[in-house]
Structure formats: C-alpha cells, structure tokens
Amino acid sequence: MNHDLYDDNYIRGILNTVKSIAMVGASPVNVRPSYFAFKYLSERGYDMIPVNPGHVGKSLLGKPFVASLHDIGRPVDMIDIFRNSDHIAPIVDDALQLSPLPQVIWMQLGARNDEAAAKAEALGLKVVMNRCPKIEYGRLSSEIQWMGVNSRTLSSKRAPAPTHGMRLSLNRQSLAGGSTVAADRASQTPKRDN
C-alpha cells in the first residue's frame, strides 16, 4: 500500500463500510480538532466512542469517555488515532489485541507510523495515515463545497445540505487522487499532544 497517496475508492470503501469509530485522543474541549471531527462524524451517523484516560467520568456529545480501547467492551470497526506519531505504536498494538479486530486503523493529519501500519496490514487491517476522515468525508461527498472549497469531485447536482444523522453519498466522481494541500502541510508540521 502506498501511504503517500490514497486512491479515492480506498477511502470511500472505508467510510462507506465502517459504522463504529473509536477516537483515541478525543477531547471534550470544543475548540480542539478532535472535538470537531468527533462531532462531525457523529452527526453523519457514525457510532462514535471517545477514548481518553484523562477524561474518564466525562462525556463527549452524550458519549461517555473510556480510558482505553480494551474498556470499550464491544466490537469497533475503526480506530481513529488523534495522537502524534510518537504515541501511535502502543495504540496500534492495543488495537491488534482486540477481539474481534477492527477493520481499519486511521491516523489523523500529521500522524504517521509505517512500522505500526505494517503490523496492522499484516493482520489484514486497512490503514490510512496523515488524513482526516472528516475532511475526506466532506471532500468525497462534495459537502465541503457548501463552504466554498473545491472538493475535486464532479456531479451535475450539488450535495444536499446535511441534516443530523444524514449520510451523504460518497460515490461522486473524483477529478484526482486523495492528495490534499492540507494533508501535505500537516505532514510537515509537528503535532501537539491532547
């Protein structure tokens, strides 16, 4: 797998298939990127689970925080890692001990660990690095066009304005691959811990 450039169909397949997402590093602080991503994905109908040991006893949009992936107590389709690259390996190791295994390990913008990715892929998991599922969903559904951003997707119809729990079609034709300026810029910027 070339983790420098993802085919849109690979990302589409993931976002169309997963239903539950454990977000490691989720924050209840409403100005943090993890909060925005959590809220956005939750509003699109994904079953979101906030994972952060520093916030156990609190909730994020009505979902109680858990301390670790092992505390979830039910199967999870995707692990979305909102931590910097130095913290990814132990999180992926924890994810690979879950039963059943998740389908996807997703590392947020600026986060990459090729060794951890290889471990997950060796066990049949899909891996995405240095991308944000919120951004990719908005781009592939053309929803991001509502904000005046060129999503590089073509359709004769404008994407509908989303409502709570509404999943937009991710099957619009793309002009180019999944590389984005934001992803390229984020890969050059060190990521802070939550």
Side-chain angles (χ1 to χ4, degrees), residues 131-173:
R131 295 287 186 273
C132 176
K134 173 188 179 294
I135 292 170
E136 295 301 315
Y137 186 100
R139 182 179 68 79
L140 293 171
S141 69
S142 295
E143 177 184 353
I144 202 166
Q145 289 177 334
W146 282 100
M147 296 184 298
V149 177
N150 181 357
S151 66
R152 297 187 323 252
T153 57
L154 295 175
S155 176
S156 61
K157 295 181 181 179
R158 187 174 191 181
T163 59
H164 185 74
M166 177 183 179
R167 284 212 185 174
L168 299 174
S169 172
L170 300 175
N171 297 325
R172 293 168 177 262
Q173 181 180 354

